[in-house]
Amino acid sequence: MNRTTQSLIGAAAALAAVTGVAALTGPDGAADASAASAARLPVERSTLLCPAPSSSELAETTYTSFTPKGKGTAAKKGSAELRAALTKEAGAKHGGAKAGKDKPVVALKEPGSPVNAKTSDPEAPALIGTADGALAPGWSAQQTTVISAGGGRAVLGAACTPPDTEFWFPGASTARDRQDYVHLTNPDDSAAVVDLELYGKDGALKAPAGEGITVPAHASVPVLLSTLTTEPTSDAVLHVVARGGRVGASVQASDDKRGGDWLASAADPSGTAVLPGIPKDATSVQLVAMATGAADADLKVRLSGPSGQITPAGHETLNARSGMVTAVDLRDVTKGEPGSLLLTPEGDSSAPFVAALRVTRGKGAKQEIAFIPATAPIETRATAADNRAKGTTLDLVAPGRSAKVTVISSAGSGGGTAATKSYTVKGGTTLSVTPPVPAGAKGSYAVTVVRESGGPVHASRTLELPEGGVPLFTIQTLPDDRGTVEVPDAGQDLSLLTN
């Protein structure tokens, strides 16, 4: 065995543990067989990016940072800090100078207890954060912005996300009654170059201004989507590709009459999609989908409710066309019961696609919107960082086999005692619950879902903060937190690299 081969494998294992590179998983969330002999270790470093919250003078934003308690790194110390990113102008002026010379906006000290910070500054910047040691595995952060009056009144919730090189946003818009900004944030020491591609019902939109956008190091750049094209499109798909470097990307959608929310990126293109947590009182549900490959995706449409699955009347199937956006008005599809939308292949179709829902609650002048992108299953654990004693709902869907989960509500940011409760989600159903409220909780608390056994589970969290008769709310899906990674056993993998 040559020494170089051994060194390469050792380096690869160390890199996986530090960067959070996870093992490949199949469509049911199970680890690939080739990784069956791998050890699962906690990540040692995590990076999260939070977009600039709002330019409204009436906005009040709460940042929440949280790491669940876990095994493996409990004895290690660590830090988790969110610091201000540079603006586009400052980044260009300073040649990508590092952010973080000022005090951190949010600094987490220990696992199991969330911390908050608040701002009403309309020029509050995007945040760039890192966590290491005991605070890295499962580190979560969220910003919740309340605009209680004016044309932009809304609750805008965004889970801070790790950087990547590609994002899909079904449900974006370049229409005149919407102002959608994509926020691009670069956490690294060198500039990133990003392409923005827009698609409508007839295919790709002409958007030459979206090509080659430079995002300076440690900086954030907002881009108004309607300035990229002369073709107003109500139901669009935005594709963000970093051809140099990596970025965080989130879309802030504002509707002239229906408030707004953050649109998170959808799960990677796949032949199936699960969109969890449509509220029981949704007055309108709009589905936006597009096949991303060379072939159309022919899909079955099902609604998973508390007692099982049904086919929405008149919407039994959906043809998601290649490179062309399909939008379907499902109206008040939940009919007074919470539910989740399931999209599965029809016949032999296996073409990959992306999908998201725009959900409206309320009527007339008292409407509010939120978005539910397709989301990957919880393989081990997922967290929603900012929850309140009133107005928090957790939706869990098991599209296949039944599953058992444990829900842990942390202590509050101002004190209290964590609470735990176990649930069984029957196969083919959506279970909508109020998470256990921590005893004596003060401030907000985090909710962590741990998948214990059974089939795949997908989840979302709804936070309702009504104001003046308007049902203000926000929905965040809960993808796996990737707090642990598969590190191949060197003794078993060496043979793969030898002649």
Side-chain angles (χ1 to χ4, degrees), residues 53 147 152-157 170-173 177-183 224-225 234 250-256 258-264 358 368-371:
I147 305 174
R153 88 282 180 275
V155 171
L156 301 98
S173 177
D177 60 352
R178 280 265 294 269
Q179 285 195 321
D180 284 19
Y181 283 86
V182 59
H183 290 248
L224 180 59
L225 297 186
S234 296
S250 299
V251 172
Q252 188 181 52
S254 298
D255 188 287
D256 286 348
R258 294 180 291 181
D261 204 351
W262 287 98
L263 170 58
R358 185 183 73 238
E368 162 76 319
I369 61 172
F371 298 90

Side-chain angles (χ1 to χ4, degrees), residues 168-172 235-237 263-267 273-275 285-290 326-328 330 341 343 353-359 370-375:
W168 292 92
F169 296 94
D235 299 297
V237 170
L263 170 58
S265 61
V274 178
L275 302 96
V285 177
Q286 183 88 348
L287 169 63
V288 179
M290 186 185 80
T326 299
V328 179
L330 299 175
L341 202 69
L343 303 176
F353 66 95
V354 292
L357 300 172
R358 185 183 73 238
V359 177
F371 298 90
I372 306 174
T375 186

Side-chain angles (χ1 to χ4, degrees), residues 155-196:
V155 171
L156 301 98
C160 305
T161 58
D164 208 337
T165 58
E166 185 177 26
F167 306 84
W168 292 92
F169 296 94
S173 177
T174 63
R176 293 182 176 87
D177 60 352
R178 280 265 294 269
Q179 285 195 321
D180 284 19
Y181 283 86
V182 59
H183 290 248
L184 307 170
T185 305
N186 177 6
D188 297 323
D189 293 336
S190 58
V193 179
V194 176
D195 292 331
L196 303 179

